[in-house]
Amino acid sequence: TESSPTEQYSSTNPASVSVPAELSSDGTKLVYLYLQITGASTLTELNQSLEMKSISLLPILDTLVTKELVSRQDNQYLPVAG
């Protein structure tokens, strides 16, 4: 059987992902979920995939890194294993 493009690139089963209660902003939740499902992304990939401007993404990513929900390695943002 062929897998869908989403299944090929997905590192986490979307049904198993939940949002931490401390995330209140819709944008923050969206970026968090996206990273949980894709596994890692650059700012450019987030910008293109989520159709969000970098000026909006940078404070969201900073919040996620500060809350230790996401880590940054070089130019990639990765979800922190819970």
Side-chain angles (χ1 to χ4, degrees), residues 1 10 15 19 21 25 32 37 39 44 55-57 59 61 71-72 76 79 81:
T1 63
S10 177
V19 178
S25 139
Y32 175 81
I37 292 168
T44 301
I55 197 161
S56 299
L57 284 167
L61 291 165
S71 65
R72 181 175 181 185
Q76 291 217 331

Side-chain angles (χ1 to χ4, degrees), residues 50-78:
L50 300 177
E51 297 183 359
M52 293 176 72
K53 294 182 180 185
S54 297
I55 197 161
S56 299
L57 284 167
L58 288 169
I60 288 171
L61 291 165
D62 186 50
T63 297
L64 292 171
V65 169
T66 300
K67 292 181 181 287
E68 299 181 355
L69 297 170
V70 168
S71 65
R72 181 175 181 185
Q73 295 178 357
D74 298 318
N75 68 337
Q76 291 217 331
Y77 291 91
L78 304 112

Side-chain angles (χ1 to χ4, degrees), residues 11-54:
S11 66
T12 302
N13 177 355
S16 68
V17 177
S18 62
V19 178
E22 70 233 49
L23 300 182
S24 57
S25 139
D26 289 342
T28 306
K29 290 176 187 177
L30 177 64
V31 173
Y32 175 81
L33 288 172
Y34 182 82
L35 290 172
Q36 286 293 315
I37 292 168
T38 61
S41 288
T42 64
L43 181 62
T44 301
E45 290 167 342
L46 287 164
N47 179 285
Q48 292 171 349
S49 297
L50 300 177
E51 297 183 359
M52 293 176 72
K53 294 182 180 185
S54 297

